[in-house]
Amino acid sequence: MRRMRWMGWPALLAWPMMAGAQVPPAPGGDIVVEGQRARPSNWREAETQHVIVLSDGPEREVTQIAHNLERLYFLLSVLLGRADRTDDTAKLRVTLIGDVAEFQRMDLRNLRWQQGPFNAAFDVRRYYDPREDGAVLATTRIDQRAVLRRGVAVADALMGVQIGPPESMSAQPGSPGGVGANAMATGQAGLFGLQSSNDLIRPVGEEAVPLSADSMIYAGFAQHYLTTFFPAAYPRWYLDGFGQLFSTLMVRGDTVMEYGRPPAGTTAVLHRFGDVRLADILSGAYLSESPDKTRWTPVHAWMLTHFLFFSPTRNGQFHAYLKAIAAGTPPAQAAAVFGDPATLAAELRKYFYAKKPFERMTYPADRAVTPIVRRLSVGEAAFVKGRLELGSRIEAAASGSAPALAQRDAWLARLHADAAKFPRDEGAQVLLAEAECRSGHATACGAAAERALALAPASSAALTWSGVAMAQQAGGLTGEARAALLRKARATIARANRADTEAPEPLIAYYRSFAEAGDTAPAIAVDGLAKALTVVPNAPSTRLALGTALAARGAPTARAVLMPVARGGYDSPERAKAEAVLQSLDAR
């Protein structure tokens, strides 16, 4: 190991902001599994101070992942100057799903997080959604492989079939002024895809690099930490690189961590895919490249970020580049701070051959205590996947396309059937209420919320969705009837807030009861939005609502609130509206 001279981390400072009832019978003729709800399932939940991990795998595995994520939280807090700060944000919920095929069948669509685009060989299966009530992350718990070169099946090889890459993968020279092994670059970006690493028989002559489930989880957690505590308009390549930098976290015993090591297969990947044009990466032009064509990989993102982080001559320029982009400077213009691209590329090429440093940190074991682990009941486990699917199904249907609407309606029907099997499960009814309200089905939402309130009269979540359902129903009324129902809706949402003053959903619902009704929201409603954003700082929908409200009031903080959504590294359904508000501010 070579010790690094600490250069400081390019994480931008957070922007200032304003501060006993009878259970109703299950509908229809569905089977009710009353006696089965409390029976333990094969799902476990491991909770620490800052993260919740759910998995259908062994207890040892889920415990280790949660413990290591808590350690990573502490490491990032030390590096970014937050070790002694109070954390009022919602805990990240990480769900580990069986295998790759099972994860793919869930059809989780990343609407507010994207990677790369990387070469198609690195189609990493991970889902992340910074929701209003707390971010969720999901991936398979099975290790995968990125296949760099196809082999030949054993049976074909025994029959004398030629082994080797296709003719189209013959060596190609590296692009000038790029990242990678330069003259040693060997091929165009291959279309070889991702495979599970537990294949019993692998093709002869295959070249692949491992992608561990742990590394994907650590990378996603690091990105979540950065965008939560230091929200800004970061370029996507940097978000990818930041995650990769911590993807190789190594824990040794209870008091030692290492980070910054190269990902497995770094040399093979850089030799296989060769150079990329630095100017295209720094300017963002690479974002339009197809995975079938691009040479950009997670390893390239790791190396570029690692180099800029720890270069004594380039680190200051790196800070200036990120700061300029965060302020709204076009990336191509911001990249001018690095000077001649060919010189930067030559330095990076030299860095490729050099021995790369990494850091080792010793820490007190009590800064990352052992997680609390429990088995989920059968009733709880029945809705683990449904909670993840909620965002994809509802948001996709918002486009109005017939296939998306049909998929959502089929999903809602299954959710109703599952909830009917567990009529005493408050969480099932709350999930159903949220799904119906977000689908615009006010009557069904209100009915599910009332069933949840019959089970738990003081439930903040159930009260919230009951109030939202009333506010939606008021939209179809006029005059005093409309005003009276809106008053009742807001009173119900206020009860939800009193039941849980830290929950962001009642605060957001209260504001929207005015905004969606076309009424001017009072100052207390806008203050509630600001409070909700402190709980989930990287939620695009909350940022859009607060930024729009602040812009309407001429508040100078509106621009800073909107920038991560309008011009940050991730696309989202809120992006276009946030950009429109920014442009209206610029026109003033």
Side-chain angles (χ1 to χ4, degrees):
M1 178 190 70
R2 180 158 62 92
R3 297 287 295 179
M4 293 185 289
R5 175 176 174 267
W6 186 246
M7 301 306 301
W9 290 79
L12 304 180
L13 295 179
W15 297 110
M17 293 184 296
M18 296 175 59
Q22 182 178 358
V23 179
D30 294 318
I31 295 175
V32 177
V33 287
E34 296 272 3
Q36 300 296 318
R37 180 189 178 277
R39 182 167 60 84
S41 71
N42 64 334
W43 280 85
R44 291 174 173 83
E45 176 186 275
E47 183 170 4
T48 71
Q49 186 177 355
H50 303 103
V51 68
I52 297 172
V53 181
L54 299 101
S55 174
D56 57 356
E59 181 174 348
R60 178 189 57 79
E61 179 184 83
V62 68
T63 302
Q64 180 180 344
I65 288 293
H67 204 176
N68 286 352
L69 289 178
E70 188 66 22
R71 291 172 170 128
L72 180 54
Y73 178 97
F74 176 66
L75 170 63
L76 290 165
S77 297
V78 171
L79 298 180
L80 298 175
R82 295 196 69 262
D84 298 319
R85 300 276 189 90
T86 300
D87 181 2
D88 296 323
T89 62
K91 295 181 182 182
L92 174 67
R93 293 180 64 88
V94 179
T95 305
L96 307 181
I97 305 293
D99 57 24
V100 175
E102 184 180 0
F103 185 77
Q104 290 177 324
R105 283 195 296 270
M106 292 180 68
D107 192 24
L108 300 175
R109 304 177 187 182
N110 279 300
L111 301 176
R112 294 180 175 86
W113 174 84
Q114 299 85 32
Q115 61 183 353
F118 296 133
N119 179 270
F122 293 87
D123 183 18
V124 176
R125 300 296 177 180
R126 190 167 75 222
Y127 173 74
Y128 178 74
D129 187 4
R131 299 177 179 178
E132 294 174 346
D133 59 345
V136 297
L137 185 153
T139 186
T140 173
R141 59 181 179 81
I142 304 300
D143 294 343
Q144 302 170 48
R145 294 179 298 129
V147 180
L148 308 184
R149 180 177 58 187
R150 291 185 187 276
V152 174
V154 174
D156 291 339
L158 293 175
M159 295 174 63
V161 177
Q162 181 179 355
I163 299 174
E167 184 176 349
S168 62
M169 280 297 298
S170 58
Q172 300 291 329
S175 304
V179 181
N182 196 25
M184 294 198 302
T186 57
Q188 299 184 38
L191 312 180
F192 301 129
L194 214 60
Q195 295 185 4
S196 173
S197 66
N198 58 353
D199 301 334
L200 296 179
I201 300 177
R202 294 182 183 175
V204 176
E206 177 186 271
E207 183 181 9
V209 296
L211 299 174
S212 73
D214 289 1
S215 69
M216 290 186 284
I217 297 166
Y218 298 153
F221 185 87
Q223 291 174 338
H224 167 78
Y225 187 102
L226 181 66
T227 57
T228 294
F229 296 108
F230 302 93
Y234 297 109
R236 190 186 300 173
W237 73 261
Y238 168 62
L239 293 168
D240 285 332
F242 186 88
Q244 289 302 311
L245 203 61
F246 294 95
S247 68
T248 56
L249 175 75
M250 295 187 66
V251 176
R252 302 187 183 279
D254 292 328
T255 60
V256 177
M257 282 183 285
E258 295 175 357
Y259 65 95
R261 288 181 177 272
T266 290
T267 300
V269 171
L270 293 177
H271 281 180
R272 170 61 57 183
F273 294 106
D275 297 352
V276 297
R277 285 180 52 84
L278 273 181
D280 289 347
I281 303 302
L282 297 175
S283 69
Y286 79 103
L287 293 171
S288 62
E289 293 181 356
S290 165
D292 297 347
K293 303 293 184 181
T294 184
R295 298 182 178 203
W296 183 245
T297 73
V299 173
H300 288 83
W302 173 86
M303 194 172 77
L304 178 58
T305 305
H306 195 282
F307 169 69
L308 292 175
F309 264 141
F310 303 120
S311 168
T313 58
R314 295 292 188 176
N315 184 262
Q317 296 173 346
F318 190 25
H319 276 276
Y321 166 79
L322 292 178
K323 185 176 180 180
I325 291 177
T329 302
Q333 184 178 335
V337 71
F338 293 112
D340 180 21
T343 301
L344 179 62
E347 293 177 15
L348 190 55
R349 203 170 297 123
K350 182 179 178 180
Y351 194 70
F352 168 76
Y353 294 104
K355 186 176 181 180
K356 315 276 188 310
F358 65 92
E359 268 288 344
R360 176 176 296 156
M361 185 181 83
T362 302
Y363 63 98
D366 61 2
R367 294 305 298 260
V369 298
T370 303
I372 298 173
V373 182
R374 70 180 184 92
R375 291 274 291 272
L376 297 187
S377 69
V378 172
E380 292 173 308
F383 302 96
V384 168
K385 294 181 181 179
R387 293 182 192 284
L388 284 175
E389 293 165 340
L390 174 67
S392 295
R393 300 298 176 269
I394 303 304
E395 295 289 351
S399 66
S401 72
L405 288 169
Q407 186 184 40
R408 181 204 65 188
D409 291 344
W411 175 78
L412 282 172
R414 289 195 300 271
L415 197 61
H416 273 276
D418 289 342
K421 296 175 184 178
F422 301 94
R424 294 186 181 278
D425 193 309
E426 175 215 346
Q429 299 302 328
V430 167
L431 175 62
L432 187 57
E434 179 177 0
E436 293 288 14
C437 264
R438 292 194 183 280
S439 300
H441 304 158
T443 301
C445 172
E450 289 306 312
R451 291 194 293 271
L453 287 170
L455 296 165
S459 167
S460 176
L463 286 167
T464 297
W465 293 113
S466 177
V468 171
M470 294 178 202
Q472 290 182 354
Q473 290 171 324
L477 303 176
T478 59
E480 179 54 30
R482 174 183 180 276
L485 191 52
L486 280 174
R487 285 194 297 269
K488 184 178 179 181
R490 290 162 188 162
T492 303
I493 295 170
R495 286 176 56 202
N497 171 246
R498 290 193 295 272
D500 185 353
T501 57
E502 299 305 311
E505 286 289 17
L507 301 171
I508 297 169
Y510 187 71
Y511 171 81
R512 286 182 176 153
S513 73
F514 293 95
E516 294 178 359
D519 299 336
T520 300
I524 192 173
V526 179
D527 290 342
L529 273 182
K531 164 67 175 176
L533 193 59
T534 65
V535 180
V536 190
N538 61 345
S541 55
T542 309
R543 281 193 168 271
L544 174 62
L546 179 59
T548 302
L550 294 176
R553 288 161 172 74
T557 52
R559 183 179 180 83
V561 170
L562 291 166
M563 278 295 292
V565 182
R567 299 177 190 176
Y570 301 139
D571 197 4
S572 70
E574 296 80 17
R575 191 182 190 99
K577 292 182 180 179
E579 178 63 32
V581 178
L582 274 185
Q583 291 182 8
S584 71
L585 292 174
D586 293 339
R588 292 180 182 178

